[in-house]
Each structure stands twice: as C-alpha cells, then as structure tokens.
Amino acid sequence: GSDTGGSIRIPASLCGIVGLKPTFGTVGRSGVLPGNWTLDTLGPLVGSSDDARLVLAALVGSDPGDPLAVGPARAARLRRELSRPSTGDPGAIRLGIVDEPLFEIHDPTIASTYASALDRLGRGGVELVRLRLPDAAWVASTLVAIDLPDAAAIHTFRLRDRADDFE
C-alpha cells in the first residue's frame, strides 16, 4: 500500500491486520502514481507483524527511478536485518505509548481492551515508554501545509487535461 497521511495504517487498524509505513525512502516509489513527493511511503498490509517484516525485506531496495530511495549498501543491510528471524524475546522490545492529545480513546470498551493489552505486554517483558507529544496540535495543519502544495504541483497537468476524471 501507499501512505501519505495514514492510508496504510488507518485501514489496517480498522481491519484487524498489520499495516507498516516504513521510514521514508526504505521502499522505492518508481512506477507508483505519486500523491506527494515528500510524504508518500510504500509499505505492507499483512496478517501479522512477522509477515510485515518478511514482506518489507522483499520490498526494500535501492531504486534508480526514485532518487530519494535508500542506496544499494543500506538496502542490502536492511534486507539482511529484516530477513533474520525474530528472537521472540519481548524484553528486547521497547514500545512507545503516545498518550493524549494525539491519541484519545473515547469508547470505554476499547479503552479497557487497550489498557489490558498494554498491561499484558508490560508483564510479558516489553518495555513500555510513555510519550507526550506537546506539538501534536500542529500535526494536521503541518500535513495540510505540506500535502496540498505537493499534490497540486504533481497533479496540475492531470487536473487541467482530465478534470472530469477527478469528480
């Protein structure tokens, strides 16, 4: 899938699957219709985190058609790291937990399930690190400030030549 502002992560979370937006440039984008030069990222939508690791290992690579993609040496290193089986040791995992204001759960049932999952992860050895993002209020306006001009620049000629296709 492709993700500019959540198009991998949001559907995955709503469908009970794993969606991963890798670090920008990890997966080359040549051949993909761009939506945004500076935010578009390609990544897997799969059934499990282990599947995400394996699919990402297959996707990562240098891309001569995408000058912002990782270079050959870094791509090879990433493929090797991702191809190694996971240790299965939850103590090796540190998980950032973003609290309000960016991440708020309003449904009591979901909040309870979320709290229970965090408790089980913590008891299982995962290090839970509480995070506060004081500038989170700027996320939406920053996304719009970057996304709209990029998208307009990319698609101006399409809008001009094929406006009826965008209805």
Side-chain angles (χ1 to χ4, degrees):
S2 66
D3 192 319
T4 301
S7 299
I8 289 175
R9 296 159 290 157
I10 294 168
S13 71
L14 295 172
C15 294
I17 62 174
V18 174
L20 175 66
K21 179 179 181 173
T23 303
F24 185 83
T26 300
V27 178
R29 301 170 298 168
S30 66
V32 175
L33 179 66
N36 185 295
W37 286 308
T38 55
L39 298 173
D40 285 354
T41 305
L42 303 180
L45 289 139
V46 293
S48 71
S49 56
D50 203 44
D51 289 347
R53 177 182 57 80
L54 294 172
V55 171
L56 185 58
L59 293 174
V60 70
S62 67
D63 181 351
D66 181 357
L68 300 176
V70 296
R74 177 149 169 73
R77 191 177 93 241
L78 285 169
R79 275 193 302 277
R80 279 192 309 276
E81 290 172 5
L82 290 164
S83 296
R84 278 190 238 134
S86 62
T87 64
D89 174 16
I93 299 173
R94 186 172 67 189
L95 180 63
I97 309 299
V98 179
D99 289 321
E100 297 177 19
L102 187 63
F103 186 70
E104 300 173 28
I105 300 175
H106 298 284
D107 183 294
T109 304
I110 293 172
S112 174
T113 303
Y114 177 71
S116 175
L118 291 180
D119 182 59
R120 286 192 355 238
L121 287 168
R123 284 186 283 118
V126 173
E127 180 186 355
L128 303 176
V129 180
R130 294 283 176 179
L131 303 172
R132 184 104 173 112
L133 302 175
D135 295 328
W138 294 99
V139 170
S141 57
T142 302
L143 175 62
V144 169
I146 294 169
D147 191 31
L148 292 181
D150 265 14
I154 290 169
H155 297 292
T156 295
F157 73 94
R158 286 185 188 88
L159 286 167
R160 188 179 318 124
D161 297 342
R162 302 178 62 180
D164 291 344
D165 292 341
F166 285 85
E167 290 186 54

